[in-house]
Amino acid sequence: MPRMSLHIRPADPTDVPALVGLITALAEYEKLTHLLQITPEKLQAQLFGARPPAEAVVAELGEGADRCAVGFALFFTNFSTFLCKPGLYLEDLFVLPAHRGAGVGKLLLKHLAALAVERGCGRFEWSVLDWNEPAIRFYEAMGATVMPDWRLCRVTDDALLHLARRG
């Protein structure tokens, strides 16, 4: 059976319904659906409005019309006063359970690390739920440090460059 192509690309307005579905699946996985207030209209405004505060990339499997979204990453620019540089903050990364272990998450992180390097960011960081041991192990394997007091994952300096170039 031929291997399906995996593509990471910036989200566009046509991706909003798929992103809402993936974000809902993430909330279900984290048992946080009671906090979910997302609507297609709200997400459309936040990602594609006049001054979008966030960006997203979509991981798709397949070719042409047969492509389907299997994961996403939503992120924004933050700023480090100590480094006096912008940073890239990953708000959410999610891969549908049926597609985990196939390199989708690694490719999403690599894509964002490369974007952080391209934008001159001093760091790339995110938070992880303390009970999510599979995610913690995955992030550490990708070069992130789980900050014990902050519960933040941070990739900086050589680790950021290494992650951006990881094959």
Side-chain angles (χ1 to χ4, degrees), residues 131-147:
W131 59 261
N132 196 343
E133 284 298 323
I136 291 169
R137 286 192 306 273
F138 168 69
Y139 295 143
E140 289 174 334
M142 294 297 293
T145 300
V146 177
M147 309 293 284

Side-chain angles (χ1 to χ4, degrees), residues 52-115:
E55 300 174 66
V57 292
V58 177
E60 296 177 315
L61 277 177
E63 296 294 332
D66 293 330
R67 283 186 182 186
C68 68
V70 299
F72 80 100
L74 192 137
F75 58 97
F76 56 88
T77 300
N78 63 7
F79 188 78
S80 168
T81 53
F82 288 8
L83 297 176
C84 199
K85 286 185 172 184
L88 194 123
Y89 190 86
L90 173 61
E91 180 65 25
D92 286 312
L93 183 144
F94 182 73
V95 177
L96 291 171
H99 298 282
R100 292 183 188 151
V104 178
K106 286 179 185 177
L107 195 56
L108 283 163
L109 276 181
K110 179 181 188 257
H111 180 87
L112 293 179
L115 189 61

Side-chain angles (χ1 to χ4, degrees), residues 130 140 145-153:
D130 61 359
E140 289 174 334
T145 300
V146 177
M147 309 293 284
D149 296 333
W150 293 85
R151 299 288 192 245
L152 292 174
C153 298

